[in-house]
PDB file of all heavy atoms in Angstrom:
ATOM      1  N   PRO Q  50      -4.859  -6.381   6.733  1.00  0.00           N
ATOM      2  CA  PRO Q  50      -4.806  -5.591   7.972  1.00  0.00           C
ATOM      3  C   PRO Q  50      -4.919  -4.088   7.724  1.00  0.00           C
ATOM      4  O   PRO Q  50      -4.656  -3.593   6.620  1.00  0.00           O
ATOM      5  CB  PRO Q  50      -3.434  -5.947   8.563  1.00  0.00           C
ATOM      6  CG  PRO Q  50      -3.072  -7.254   7.951  1.00  0.00           C
ATOM      7  CD  PRO Q  50      -3.667  -7.240   6.573  1.00  0.00           C
ATOM      8  N   GLY Q  52      -4.181  -0.196   7.599  1.00  0.00           N
ATOM      9  CA  GLY Q  52      -2.986   0.588   7.291  1.00  0.00           C
ATOM     10  C   GLY Q  52      -2.335   0.270   5.963  1.00  0.00           C
ATOM     11  O   GLY Q  52      -1.514   1.048   5.475  1.00  0.00           O
ATOM     12  N   GLY Q  53      -2.674  -0.888   5.364  1.00  0.00           N
ATOM     13  CA  GLY Q  53      -2.099  -1.255   4.081  1.00  0.00           C
ATOM     14  C   GLY Q  53      -2.862  -0.615   2.926  1.00  0.00           C
ATOM     15  O   GLY Q  53      -3.887   0.043   3.115  1.00  0.00           O
ATOM     16  N   SER Q  54      -2.362  -0.830   1.710  1.00  0.00           N
ATOM     17  CA  SER Q  54      -2.983  -0.223   0.527  1.00  0.00           C
ATOM     18  C   SER Q  54      -4.449  -0.619   0.389  1.00  0.00           C
ATOM     19  O   SER Q  54      -5.314   0.226   0.129  1.00  0.00           O
ATOM     20  CB  SER Q  54      -2.221  -0.646  -0.736  1.00  0.00           C
ATOM     21  OG  SER Q  54      -0.887  -0.223  -0.686  1.00  0.00           O
ATOM     22  N   SER Q  55      -4.755  -1.916   0.566  1.00  0.00           N
ATOM     23  CA  SER Q  55      -6.136  -2.387   0.400  1.00  0.00           C
ATOM     24  C   SER Q  55      -7.073  -1.719   1.398  1.00  0.00           C
ATOM     25  O   SER Q  55      -8.183  -1.290   1.046  1.00  0.00           O
ATOM     26  CB  SER Q  55      -6.203  -3.907   0.561  1.00  0.00           C
ATOM     27  OG  SER Q  55      -5.511  -4.563  -0.471  1.00  0.00           O
ATOM     28  N   ASP Q  56      -6.633  -1.614   2.635  1.00  0.00           N
ATOM     29  CA  ASP Q  56      -7.448  -1.011   3.686  1.00  0.00           C
ATOM     30  C   ASP Q  56      -7.683   0.471   3.407  1.00  0.00           C
ATOM     31  O   ASP Q  56      -8.809   0.967   3.517  1.00  0.00           O
ATOM     32  CB  ASP Q  56      -6.772  -1.206   5.042  1.00  0.00           C
ATOM     33  CG  ASP Q  56      -7.513  -0.509   6.168  1.00  0.00           C
ATOM     34  OD1 ASP Q  56      -8.625  -0.951   6.508  1.00  0.00           O
ATOM     35  OD2 ASP Q  56      -6.979   0.477   6.706  1.00  0.00           O
ATOM     36  N   LEU Q  57      -6.626   1.181   3.041  1.00  0.00           N
ATOM     37  CA  LEU Q  57      -6.742   2.622   2.808  1.00  0.00           C
ATOM     38  C   LEU Q  57      -7.647   2.910   1.616  1.00  0.00           C
ATOM     39  O   LEU Q  57      -8.486   3.818   1.667  1.00  0.00           O
ATOM     40  CB  LEU Q  57      -5.354   3.223   2.579  1.00  0.00           C
ATOM     41  CG  LEU Q  57      -4.407   3.161   3.784  1.00  0.00           C
ATOM     42  CD1 LEU Q  57      -3.012   3.629   3.393  1.00  0.00           C
ATOM     43  CD2 LEU Q  57      -4.943   4.001   4.943  1.00  0.00           C
ATOM     44  N   MET Q  58      -7.508   2.125   0.547  1.00  0.00           N
ATOM     45  CA  MET Q  58      -8.375   2.316  -0.616  1.00  0.00           C
ATOM     46  C   MET Q  58      -9.833   2.030  -0.266  1.00  0.00           C
ATOM     47  O   MET Q  58     -10.736   2.748  -0.701  1.00  0.00           O
ATOM     48  CB  MET Q  58      -7.921   1.414  -1.767  1.00  0.00           C
ATOM     49  CG  MET Q  58      -6.763   1.961  -2.557  1.00  0.00           C
ATOM     50  SD  MET Q  58      -6.407   0.951  -4.008  1.00  0.00           S
ATOM     51  CE  MET Q  58      -5.448  -0.347  -3.268  1.00  0.00           C
ATOM     52  N   ALA Q  59     -10.058   0.958   0.498  1.00  0.00           N
ATOM     53  CA  ALA Q  59     -11.431   0.599   0.872  1.00  0.00           C
ATOM     54  C   ALA Q  59     -12.085   1.699   1.690  1.00  0.00           C
ATOM     55  O   ALA Q  59     -13.274   2.006   1.508  1.00  0.00           O
ATOM     56  CB  ALA Q  59     -11.425  -0.713   1.649  1.00  0.00           C
ATOM     57  N   ASP Q 216       5.116  -3.207  -4.882  1.00  0.00           N
ATOM     58  CA  ASP Q 216       4.132  -2.209  -5.264  1.00  0.00           C
ATOM     59  C   ASP Q 216       4.677  -0.832  -4.897  1.00  0.00           C
ATOM     60  O   ASP Q 216       5.619  -0.702  -4.109  1.00  0.00           O
ATOM     61  CB  ASP Q 216       2.773  -2.483  -4.607  1.00  0.00           C
ATOM     62  CG  ASP Q 216       2.820  -2.538  -3.106  1.00  0.00           C
ATOM     63  OD1 ASP Q 216       3.551  -3.379  -2.567  1.00  0.00           O
ATOM     64  OD2 ASP Q 216       2.123  -1.741  -2.462  1.00  0.00           O
ATOM     65  N   LEU Q 218       3.753   1.931  -3.202  1.00  0.00           N
ATOM     66  CA  LEU Q 218       3.672   2.633  -1.917  1.00  0.00           C
ATOM     67  C   LEU Q 218       4.878   2.418  -1.007  1.00  0.00           C
ATOM     68  O   LEU Q 218       5.431   3.385  -0.497  1.00  0.00           O
ATOM     69  CB  LEU Q 218       2.369   2.247  -1.199  1.00  0.00           C
ATOM     70  CG  LEU Q 218       2.055   3.014   0.086  1.00  0.00           C
ATOM     71  CD1 LEU Q 218       1.904   4.502  -0.196  1.00  0.00           C
ATOM     72  CD2 LEU Q 218       0.775   2.478   0.730  1.00  0.00           C
ATOM     73  N   PRO Q 219       5.347   1.171  -0.792  1.00  0.00           N
ATOM     74  CA  PRO Q 219       6.457   0.973   0.153  1.00  0.00           C
ATOM     75  C   PRO Q 219       7.820   1.488  -0.335  1.00  0.00           C
ATOM     76  O   PRO Q 219       8.706   1.731   0.478  1.00  0.00           O
ATOM     77  CB  PRO Q 219       6.504  -0.557   0.343  1.00  0.00           C
ATOM     78  CG  PRO Q 219       5.226  -1.069  -0.178  1.00  0.00           C
ATOM     79  CD  PRO Q 219       4.822  -0.132  -1.262  1.00  0.00           C
ATOM     80  N   TRP Q 263      -7.450  -4.407  -7.816  1.00  0.00           N
ATOM     81  CA  TRP Q 263      -8.494  -4.524  -6.805  1.00  0.00           C
ATOM     82  C   TRP Q 263      -9.849  -4.398  -7.485  1.00  0.00           C
ATOM     83  O   TRP Q 263     -10.012  -3.625  -8.436  1.00  0.00           O
ATOM     84  CB  TRP Q 263      -8.355  -3.413  -5.756  1.00  0.00           C
ATOM     85  CG  TRP Q 263      -7.116  -3.506  -4.934  1.00  0.00           C
ATOM     86  CD1 TRP Q 263      -6.995  -4.027  -3.667  1.00  0.00           C
ATOM     87  CD2 TRP Q 263      -5.796  -3.055  -5.302  1.00  0.00           C
ATOM     88  NE1 TRP Q 263      -5.703  -3.936  -3.234  1.00  0.00           N
ATOM     89  CE2 TRP Q 263      -4.926  -3.341  -4.213  1.00  0.00           C
ATOM     90  CE3 TRP Q 263      -5.255  -2.454  -6.430  1.00  0.00           C
ATOM     91  CZ2 TRP Q 263      -3.576  -3.046  -4.234  1.00  0.00           C
ATOM     92  CZ3 TRP Q 263      -3.897  -2.154  -6.451  1.00  0.00           C
ATOM     93  CH2 TRP Q 263      -3.072  -2.449  -5.363  1.00  0.00           C
ATOM     94  N   LEU Q 299      -1.550   6.748  -3.240  1.00  0.00           N
ATOM     95  CA  LEU Q 299      -1.221   5.385  -2.794  1.00  0.00           C
ATOM     96  C   LEU Q 299      -0.499   4.595  -3.889  1.00  0.00           C
ATOM     97  O   LEU Q 299      -0.204   3.415  -3.727  1.00  0.00           O
ATOM     98  CB  LEU Q 299      -2.496   4.642  -2.389  1.00  0.00           C
ATOM     99  CG  LEU Q 299      -3.301   5.248  -1.225  1.00  0.00           C
ATOM    100  CD1 LEU Q 299      -4.612   4.501  -1.033  1.00  0.00           C
ATOM    101  CD2 LEU Q 299      -2.484   5.232   0.062  1.00  0.00           C
ATOM    102  N   VAL Q 301      -1.755   4.011  -7.023  1.00  0.00           N
ATOM    103  CA  VAL Q 301      -2.663   3.225  -7.850  1.00  0.00           C
ATOM    104  C   VAL Q 301      -3.561   4.145  -8.659  1.00  0.00           C
ATOM    105  O   VAL Q 301      -3.757   5.313  -8.323  1.00  0.00           O
ATOM    106  CB  VAL Q 301      -3.531   2.265  -7.006  1.00  0.00           C
ATOM    107  CG1 VAL Q 301      -2.658   1.289  -6.232  1.00  0.00           C
ATOM    108  CG2 VAL Q 301      -4.431   3.039  -6.048  1.00  0.00           C
TER     109      VAL Q 301
END
Side-chain angles (χ1 to χ4, degrees):
S54 299
S55 294
D56 176 69
L57 295 173
M58 279 187 279
D216 57 301
L218 187 61
W263 294 261
L299 299 174
V301 300

